Amino acid sequence: MHNSHVKGRVVRIVMSNPPVNALNLSARRHVLSGIEAAMADESVVGVVLLGDGGRFSGGADVREFNKPDARSFPSIIDVGKAIQASPKPVVAAIDGVALGGGLELAMFCHLRVASSSARLGLPEASLGLLPGAGGTQRLPRLVGAERAIDWMVRAKVVGAHDALTVGLIDEVVSSDVGQAAEALVWRHLASGNALPVAIDRVIEVPGDAGEFFEASRAAVRAMKRGPAPEAIVDCVEAAATMPHDRAADVELQSFDRLSRTPESLALRHLFFAERAAARIDGLNPAVKPLNIGEVGVLGAGTMGTGIAMAFANAGYDVWLTDTNPQAMQRSRAVRAKAYESAKKRGRMSVEAADQASGRIRESSTIHDLEGCELVIEAVVEKQDVKEAALGQLARLLGPHAVIASNTSYLNIDALAASTGRPQDVLGLHFFSPAHVMKLVEVVRGRETSDRVLATAMDVVKRIGKMGVVAGVCDGFIGNRMVDQYFLSANELLMEGATPNQVDDAIRDFGFAMGPFAMSDMAGNDIGWLSRRRRIAADPDYRFPAIADAICERGWHGQKAGKGYFVYENGSREPGKNAEFEALLRDLRAQAGIEARRFEPAEIVERCVFALVNEGARILEEVIAQRASDIDVVYVRGYGFPDLRGGPMHYAESIGLDRVLRAIEGYRDERGDQRWSPAPLLVSRAAGSGRFDA
Ligand code: T1G
């Protein structure tokens, strides 16, 4: 009900552009014409702005930025200004999400109501952008400069209650947010108060403005997240120190500049690449994923324990089975520690952690898995042991169950053949720690049915991970590429580079760790084992001598206190291994190699272009569905810098012809067929310059 003395009606404008009400041109025109109609209609006393489908808006339509006429009118700002200028109250009714341009539009509204489950934020920095529709001007006025900068540079998304506490919104309801917004229109009309306009508010800046913004700039520079964070600070400083029109122009120019940076192009590429990875090309649309109830994990080692937690954390009941009581005891301790830590660090509420932990039921017999619709074997990485385990599961499980192997390189077709029901078998290659790492390579066997593949991709998404379909080959996508990466890195050592030079160059390129610190951390013996397996399978397989030589000396890395680097007194900080240099000199002499100096750029090219060339081969062999999938694997699973978009995107961004010429140069220089360019790289470099075109 509302106050009887005000006569008239409240109209609703509903943004409808499924699935997230992205503010594309037609959505913006719809809101603008709705506002104009409401202003022209004397019977209308107020407006409620809502999003269809339980979501307010996921923001500007990111696909529009890549179009030549990117600035299509009306812009979000044009629509917002019409709302802001309205003499009649316009209230945003926020359900689901109000992100980016969606929240910016809501901040042009006079008042904002959100449902208690709504989430709000300006995450543009995660796309290498900044809020370009007034967000850098209005958010600081509503929540203060310090909090606004922190939220925007970290692309923070907050809940409705936090938003209410800091003044971003005016009300939180657990009832119908549209009705609550209408009621707020009437309450405002009855109050006789002036319409609140965010842009008229003064920005709270802590202490001396000059010092605050300088300190903020220094802090965001240290984030090393490209130019967007610093541009955000500049825009907030403009909002606090300039007339609004000039400050708004600073924001507009900054947005346009950022939208053309390689960092933003890379992050926007990954945004769509991660979503494209979920699609299975050629899948019969009639094929629907099975609904998975109980999940079984066979083997309570490190991987099995992590996988069990990943499913339990997502709400699945899990049987974790291991015949070895000591292994189960270790698993129990690992889980207890992990959940304790999650509670302490606030990553999980006490209730959520205890519930998740309680969903994992321990068992010492495979027969407890009989009722499971999905079982993942995570037993020791040996073909015969895995074949026996999968064969037992095949005989035990129901006809619709999905049988998955967590193998990191074994042949899924061979494993599947041992089950007698290969259509139900595939690989789910989790990355350690499995309850943390987002990436899962979903390895499709020759006989894997569409239903089983679709079910696996669906369940991987349901546990909050990113599934990428991989074909069957040694190492699937990621490990096959990382093998070439390490080969190139070791080759550089044999030719004259030092571990520090290589790691420093690769870290400056943007990787968190260089290849040798990474190898020392993971254990150099892992690669050693893998190379021995490769050589047994392929006598022509070659690898630079230094890599095995250090393992033969027991220099297995951090765990041995020595590897490519030394680790004094259990430290994790890599130090110079003086013995290493002597060993390298001997090996170069034996190989007749004259050591030479390497510039960082060549070190990066040798390592990164090896990834690109192998990625092109993986594409040719249809081991990956698309080049962008390879980028997702290598960024999310192997630490390739996201600001570079992944190896394939990076190669396209610098020019495939440049990559091809360099690779041909390496081949000619050393006469090594390993550097023969992949035919797909040759054809794309001569043609479209794009792998997926
Ligand atoms: N633009 C275009 N398409 C979008 C989109 C967007 N903003 N958001 C989602 N999609 C597509 C997505 O590609 C997928 O497409 C489908 O919608 C479902 O997405 C001027 C410049 C809203 C939390 O950064 O965080 O506003 O694969 O699988 O898991 O200042 O989408 O089906 O073809 O992610 O339910 C700022 C981005 C934009 C939010 C929903 N906004 N989106 O998650 O679905 S820039 C964002 C999300 C901006 C202004 C600036 C999530 C979501 P397809 P989905 P979801």
Side-chain angles (χ1 to χ4, degrees):
M1 286 309 288
H2 57 77
N3 186 303
S4 57
H5 85 276
V6 177
K7 297 290 180 217
R9 62 195 178 93
V10 174
V11 296
R12 292 185 171 202
I13 299 174
V14 181
M15 297 177 284
S16 180
N17 177 21
V20 302
N21 298 332
L23 292 171
N24 63 359
L25 187 56
S26 63
R28 301 196 299 270
R29 282 186 175 140
H30 172 69
V31 176
L32 186 56
S33 58
I35 290 290
E36 288 164 346
M39 295 309 112
D41 182 334
E42 286 175 8
S43 71
V44 172
V45 295
V47 178
V48 167
L49 179 62
L50 303 110
D52 199 6
R55 276 173 170 158
F56 188 72
S57 169
D61 186 338
V62 181
R63 292 183 200 282
E64 272 189 0
F65 308 153
N66 302 336
K67 291 184 182 134
D69 57 342
R71 184 152 299 291
S72 51
F73 292 93
S75 69
I76 296 175
I77 291 179
D78 297 324
V79 179
K81 281 181 174 173
I83 290 171
Q84 184 175 273
S86 159
K88 304 173 181 177
V90 182
V91 177
I94 298 169
D95 215 349
V97 289
L99 299 174
L103 179 55
E104 290 175 292
L105 199 58
M107 290 193 288
F108 275 102
C109 295
H110 303 110
L111 296 159
R112 286 157 290 282
V113 181
S115 62
S116 49
S117 59
R119 299 183 57 69
L120 306 90
L122 297 179
E124 286 86 342
S126 63
L127 297 171
L129 298 168
L130 57 72
T136 65
Q137 308 299 303
R138 284 173 180 74
L139 187 65
R141 286 178 162 83
L142 291 168
V143 307
E146 191 167 22
R147 180 177 287 111
I149 287 173
D150 177 57
W151 282 14
M152 290 188 282
V153 299
R154 284 175 174 66
K156 268 186 184 170
V157 178
V158 299
H161 290 288
D162 288 346
L164 178 69
T165 307
V166 299
L168 175 57
I169 58 178
D170 304 280
E171 191 181 357
V172 176
V173 294
S174 46
S175 60
D176 177 301
V177 68
Q179 283 172 6
E182 275 200 40
L184 183 54
V185 168
W186 289 113
R187 283 205 307 279
H188 180 81
L189 289 168
S191 72
N193 293 338
L195 280 174
V197 173
I199 205 63
D200 294 340
R201 292 174 46 165
V202 174
I203 296 183
E204 269 176 42
V205 178
D208 171 81
E211 286 170 11
F212 168 73
F213 288 110
E214 264 327 294
S216 299
R217 251 184 288 279
V220 300
R221 268 190 216 115
M223 290 168 67
K224 293 194 170 47
R225 290 300 297 154
E230 192 169 347
I232 287 169
V233 175
D234 293 345
C235 288
V236 176
E237 182 173 32
T241 58
M242 292 180 188
H244 173 55
D245 286 353
R246 275 189 55 209
D249 204 42
V250 168
E251 180 189 82
L252 200 59
Q253 305 299 332
S254 304
F255 178 81
D256 282 345
R257 173 172 60 83
L258 290 177
S259 68
R260 290 191 294 275
T261 57
E263 292 87 351
S264 182
L265 292 169
L267 290 171
R268 283 154 35 209
H269 161 72
L270 285 172
F271 175 84
F272 291 111
E274 288 174 350
R275 286 153 180 83
R279 285 197 280 276
I280 301 166
D281 286 348
L283 183 71
N284 176 337
V287 170
K288 296 297 173 220
L290 255 185
N291 185 28
I292 295 291
E294 267 191 342
V295 173
V297 177
L298 186 57
T302 304
M303 288 310 292
T305 299
I307 293 168
M309 287 197 284
F311 278 92
N313 295 353
Y316 287 87
D317 288 330
V318 181
W319 275 108
L320 176 59
T321 299
D322 201 306
T323 53
N324 176 337
Q326 286 73 31
M328 190 57 82
Q329 206 169 354
R330 282 193 297 274
S331 169
R332 192 177 308 126
V334 165
R335 281 176 275 135
K337 189 173 169 220
Y339 284 119
E340 265 321 297
S341 158
K343 287 188 254 188
K344 270 202 198 101
R345 296 183 183 175
R347 279 204 306 273
M348 291 177 90
S349 68
V350 171
E351 187 192 9
D354 294 345
Q355 283 176 352
S357 175
R359 288 192 200 100
I360 300 174
R361 286 166 297 176
E362 297 180 356
S363 148
S364 59
T365 163
I366 196 169
H367 294 286
D368 286 333
L369 306 184
E370 186 169 1
C372 295
E373 281 100 356
L374 164 66
V375 177
I376 300 138
E377 67 77 15
V379 298
V380 67
E381 198 73 349
K382 288 200 177 111
Q383 188 84 18
D384 57 341
V385 176
K386 284 190 180 299
E387 286 186 359
L390 289 167
Q392 276 185 287
L393 290 171
R395 290 186 293 278
L396 175 73
L397 299 178
H400 299 298
V402 174
I403 304 170
S405 168
N406 174 53
T407 183
S408 60
Y409 63 81
L410 294 176
N411 186 306
I412 289 293
D413 290 330
L415 292 173
S418 66
T419 65
R421 49 193 282 195
Q423 70 281 5
D424 298 335
V425 181
L426 45 59
L428 285 180
H429 178 213
F430 286 82
F431 287 75
S432 185
H435 62 298
V436 174
M437 292 293 282
K438 282 266 187 222
L439 182 69
V440 179
E441 284 179 315
V442 180
V443 188
R444 166 191 229 167
R446 201 179 27 254
E447 315 264 338
T448 303
S449 73
D450 281 358
R451 177 183 60 79
V452 163
L453 180 63
T455 301
M457 289 294 278
D458 179 64
V459 80
V460 164
K461 182 167 184 177
R462 287 172 187 273
I463 62 174
K465 294 190 180 293
M466 216 168 279
V468 178
V469 177
V472 176
C473 70
D474 193 315
F476 314 134
I477 297 172
N479 280 348
R480 174 167 160 179
M481 289 172 70
V482 82
D483 190 48
Q484 292 300 317
Y485 172 74
F486 278 118
L487 200 159
S488 286
N490 282 280
E491 203 175 56
L492 286 160
L493 295 184
M494 293 298 290
E495 294 177 18
T498 67
N500 267 322
Q501 284 168 355
V502 174
D503 275 21
D504 289 351
I506 291 294
R507 264 203 326 278
D508 289 348
F509 177 74
F511 280 80
M513 286 177 94
F516 299 122
M518 165 85 81
S519 186
D520 274 353
M521 181 177 74
N524 300 320
D525 46 333
I526 291 177
W528 194 26
L529 265 177
S530 168
R531 289 192 294 278
R532 289 205 298 220
R533 181 178 50 74
R534 295 287 295 270
I535 290 169
D538 169 11
D540 295 336
Y541 180 78
R542 290 286 175 275
F543 206 87
I546 182 64
D548 287 0
I550 62 171
C551 291
E552 284 149 14
R553 286 161 178 73
W555 299 354
H556 293 173
Q558 276 185 23
K559 60 189 174 187
K562 189 180 286 187
Y564 289 93
F565 301 104
V566 289
Y567 301 86
E568 304 289 356
N569 315 318
S571 149
R572 291 179 170 216
E573 271 311 298
K576 187 179 168 82
N577 176 352
E579 293 175 271
F580 183 88
E581 303 294 321
L583 171 62
L584 210 43
R585 273 197 299 279
D586 293 349
L587 289 170
R588 286 173 187 154
Q590 286 166 28
I593 294 173
E594 188 65 33
R596 73 172 177 87
R597 281 188 53 72
F598 285 88
E599 290 306 316
E602 184 180 3
I603 289 173
V604 169
E605 290 196 352
R606 288 273 288 274
C607 294
V608 172
F609 291 1
L611 290 174
V612 177
N613 207 27
E614 197 60 26
R617 292 202 179 95
I618 284 169
L619 263 180
E620 278 162 358
E621 297 165 27
V622 198
I623 296 294
Q625 295 188 96
R626 50 189 85 85
S628 61
D629 281 8
I630 295 171
D631 287 334
V632 172
V633 167
Y634 223 77
V635 167
R636 299 301 175 212
Y638 293 79
F640 196 94
D642 60 352
L643 292 175
R644 306 266 190 183
M648 312 310 270
H649 173 85
Y650 174 68
E652 291 171 355
S653 69
I654 62 171
L656 294 187
D657 50 349
R658 172 179 152 193
V659 176
L660 175 60
R661 280 200 309 276
I663 288 174
E664 286 169 337
Y666 303 146
R667 173 200 58 198
D668 301 344
E669 202 179 293
R670 59 184 42 71
D672 178 349
Q673 282 317 305
R674 181 178 87 84
W675 280 110
S676 59
L680 183 69
L681 172 60
V682 175
S683 65
R684 288 292 193 270
S688 62
R690 304 284 311 280
F691 283 111
D692 279 344

